Amino acid sequence: MACPWLRQCRRWSANCTSTSLFETLWHCNGRAAFPASCLGQRSWSSGPGNEGPPSALPTQIHAKTNFTTSLTRHKSRLLNPTLQPRCCRKTVHSDAKLKDPFTLAQKDLTNLYDDIRKELFVSKEELKSLCDYYFDGKGKAIRPLIVVLMARALNIHSNRAGDLIPGQRHVAMITEMIHTASLVHDDVIDGSDKRRGKSTINEVWGEKKAILAGDFILSVASMAMARIGNNTVVKVFAQVIEDLVRGEFMQLGSKENENERFKHYLEKTFKKTASLIANSCKAVSVLVNSDPEVHEIAYQYGRNVGIAFQLVDDVLDFTSGTNHLGKPSAADLKLGLATGPVLFACQQFPELHSMIMRRFSLKGDIERAWQFVFQSDGVQQTEYLAKRYGQEAVRQISRLRPSAERDALISLTEMVLTRDK
């Protein structure tokens, strides 16, 4: 029998103004629901404890933003800039330029990967090659981008100049290092042979060396944390590493009860993906502002945009081809994982329940599960769930003082929701 909040979800997607699904879901998680009054409104107040009616994403997006195209277009000058003659540069309307996340973060993310490679420098050539392998400038760099924009928005909110203080840029570097180390370890656990369109480290050098490379990257990130000289920042990142490990253990299991299964899925999603973004945003807030309410705004933006990002990723595993993703499609099913689209589809096709519990291990399970997902509204429901997390991310960030960086984080949330890679 379908659990109450999943039954509500199909009614909710037909009527976007209903918040019953999230009220039920947050009640199950022991969290406060999104206030109904907080969606679809926009304002800002700087008074302590006075949030004002927050902002949300528009209920319809008039033009789909291609996240990957935007990222590719800006990547060369964001991470590996080249000088152009002034007369060759295109004139950009000032408002559009100010709100563009990549333009705003360009100065602080320039040479990001070069600086990380300097941190990881070792004389042993093979270890150096292992560590540098994924720091080649071909990743999305979405996490350090969020961290930089959040830091600048918080600096302005705290009545400072927008420029980063040194510790905040180090947080952006540490964030990308922890993320990359987790990818190296994930590929070993999953037995993956492709990542970002090329062979994985474990495929090229073997599992033992891949594990050691991931450990080394984490150790260098830990030393960088210590050099920031803030105990709270160290504690925040220690929580991230704990969450990553706990999330990986959660991914190895499942729940028999349908209510618990979706709670398990969302908690795992937070620990494996969103915790790093949430706590990195909190870390840059700690360095510039002593107000716990401001720390919570930064944390909640990162938490919600991080969960939305992963939900979209889970959808793309069904809707994007191998060439587009840079890794095999249906990878989650092949690993025995039931993500959002499958869990929603299970409500319309109960046959999926037994497949989920045996982790799609019988012959034909993966193909049948794939068909059930596309015969159901599982993809659409997961997309809509991601949108609701995106709305909450925008509501949180809209509590900060207006700035170009704050608005860029709102734009970036929309890009996360509409990306196709």
Side-chain angles (χ1 to χ4, degrees):
M1 181 178 178
C3 61
W5 74 266
L6 280 170
R7 286 202 305 270
Q8 172 64 25
C9 191
R10 278 187 282 278
R11 295 196 295 270
W12 169 54
S13 62
N15 178 9
C16 300
T17 60
S18 171
T19 59
S20 301
L21 167 63
F22 269 73
E23 288 167 0
T24 306
L25 176 58
W26 254 246
H27 177 72
C28 290
N29 284 333
R31 300 291 299 271
F34 296 164
S37 61
C38 290
L39 297 173
Q41 302 176 40
R42 182 183 185 112
S43 73
W44 169 80
S45 172
S46 59
N50 182 14
E51 299 174 14
S55 166
L57 288 177
T59 54
Q60 66 271 353
I61 298 170
H62 298 292
K64 182 174 180 178
T65 304
N66 187 320
F67 176 82
T68 307
T69 303
S70 297
L71 187 65
T72 303
R73 186 167 58 245
H74 291 274
K75 181 174 291 181
S76 60
R77 62 186 169 84
L78 183 66
L79 300 175
N80 300 294
T82 55
L83 295 176
Q84 300 178 38
R86 184 176 295 275
C87 61
C88 296
R89 296 176 186 167
K90 292 184 179 179
T91 302
V92 181
H93 190 275
S94 58
D95 289 344
K97 189 173 182 180
L98 282 174
K99 293 179 182 178
D100 176 57
F102 308 98
T103 301
L104 284 169
Q106 179 181 349
K107 181 179 74 171
D108 297 305
L109 290 183
T110 296
N111 300 322
L112 174 81
Y113 289 126
D114 287 340
D115 291 341
I116 290 175
R117 285 194 293 267
K118 289 175 185 175
E119 290 281 343
L120 293 168
F121 180 79
V122 286
S123 57
K124 185 173 175 58
E125 189 60 34
E126 186 176 37
L127 180 57
K128 183 178 185 303
S129 298
L130 280 159
C131 294
D132 290 351
Y133 191 68
Y134 286 145
F135 296 113
D136 56 3
K138 294 182 180 178
K140 297 184 185 74
I142 184 68
R143 289 158 186 82
L145 176 61
I146 290 172
V147 171
V148 164
L149 291 173
M150 177 62 74
R152 291 172 65 91
L154 289 165
N155 291 351
I156 292 168
H157 181 80
S158 305
N159 297 313
R160 298 171 59 101
D163 292 342
L164 300 194
I165 60 176
Q168 289 175 323
R169 189 171 187 276
H170 291 151
V171 168
M173 293 170 58
I174 292 165
T175 301
E176 187 68 359
M177 292 166 75
I178 293 175
H179 169 60
T180 302
S182 74
L183 296 183
V184 175
H185 286 159
D186 280 356
D187 288 342
V188 173
I189 293 168
D190 299 340
S192 302
D193 59 2
K194 289 289 182 185
R195 169 76 63 181
R196 295 176 180 171
K198 63 182 182 179
S199 297
T200 56
I201 287 180
N202 49 290
E203 181 73 9
V204 177
W205 284 279
E207 291 185 354
K208 291 181 180 179
K209 289 180 179 177
I211 292 169
L212 292 172
D215 290 346
F216 181 72
I217 294 169
L218 279 176
S219 70
V220 174
S222 298
M223 289 190 289
M225 289 176 216
R227 286 200 300 272
I228 291 174
N230 186 295
N231 288 337
T232 302
V233 170
V234 174
K235 290 178 183 177
V236 163
F237 276 118
Q239 183 64 56
V240 170
I241 295 171
E242 178 186 328
D243 285 342
L244 284 169
V245 175
R246 289 182 180 272
E248 197 61 54
F249 269 99
M250 290 181 72
Q251 185 163 283
L252 297 174
S254 187
K255 296 289 184 180
E256 183 79 25
N257 179 276
E258 292 178 15
N259 264 327
E260 290 183 4
R261 187 184 293 155
F262 217 101
K263 276 178 59 182
H264 182 90
Y265 165 65
L266 289 177
E267 186 180 351
K268 181 266 295 182
T269 297
F270 167 75
K271 289 184 182 301
K272 278 182 61 68
T273 302
S275 174
L276 175 59
I277 300 174
N279 283 295
S280 297
C281 288
K282 181 177 180 178
V284 292
S285 74
V286 165
L287 291 172
V288 75
N289 194 300
S290 61
D291 185 352
E293 186 176 358
V294 174
H295 303 168
E296 185 67 10
I297 291 170
Y299 177 89
Q300 288 298 333
Y301 173 83
R303 174 184 179 274
N304 283 281
V305 81
I307 293 176
F309 184 93
Q310 186 58 50
L311 289 170
V312 171
D313 216 49
D314 293 344
V315 166
L316 292 176
D317 193 50
F318 286 92
T319 61
S320 238
T322 300
N323 292 338
H324 222 53
L325 288 176
K327 58 184 178 181
S329 56
D332 292 329
L333 286 176
K334 292 170 185 173
L335 291 170
L337 305 179
T339 55
V342 177
L343 296 177
F344 278 116
C346 189
Q347 306 313 307
Q348 293 167 262
F349 296 96
E351 303 97 310
L352 279 167
H353 176 76
S354 58
M355 296 186 207
I356 291 170
M357 294 312 298
R358 63 177 177 255
R359 299 178 70 87
F360 312 103
S361 59
L362 295 185
K363 185 177 180 180
D365 278 358
I366 292 173
E367 292 76 13
R368 290 178 64 209
W370 182 276
Q371 290 172 0
F372 285 143
V373 166
F374 282 100
Q375 289 169 16
S376 73
D377 58 5
V379 166
Q380 292 80 7
Q381 297 291 359
T382 308
E383 288 175 336
Y384 208 83
L385 185 59
K387 181 178 178 181
R388 287 300 286 256
Y389 276 102
Q391 287 176 318
E392 178 64 3
V394 170
R395 185 182 82 83
Q396 291 290 340
I397 199 64
S398 296
R399 295 166 63 191
L400 295 184
R401 183 191 302 273
S403 66
E405 287 78 7
R406 186 201 72 166
D407 292 345
L409 286 167
I410 293 172
S411 298
L412 190 61
T413 305
E414 186 173 318
M415 291 180 186
V416 163
L417 292 171
T418 57
R419 70 192 178 97
D420 61 0
K421 186 176 180 180

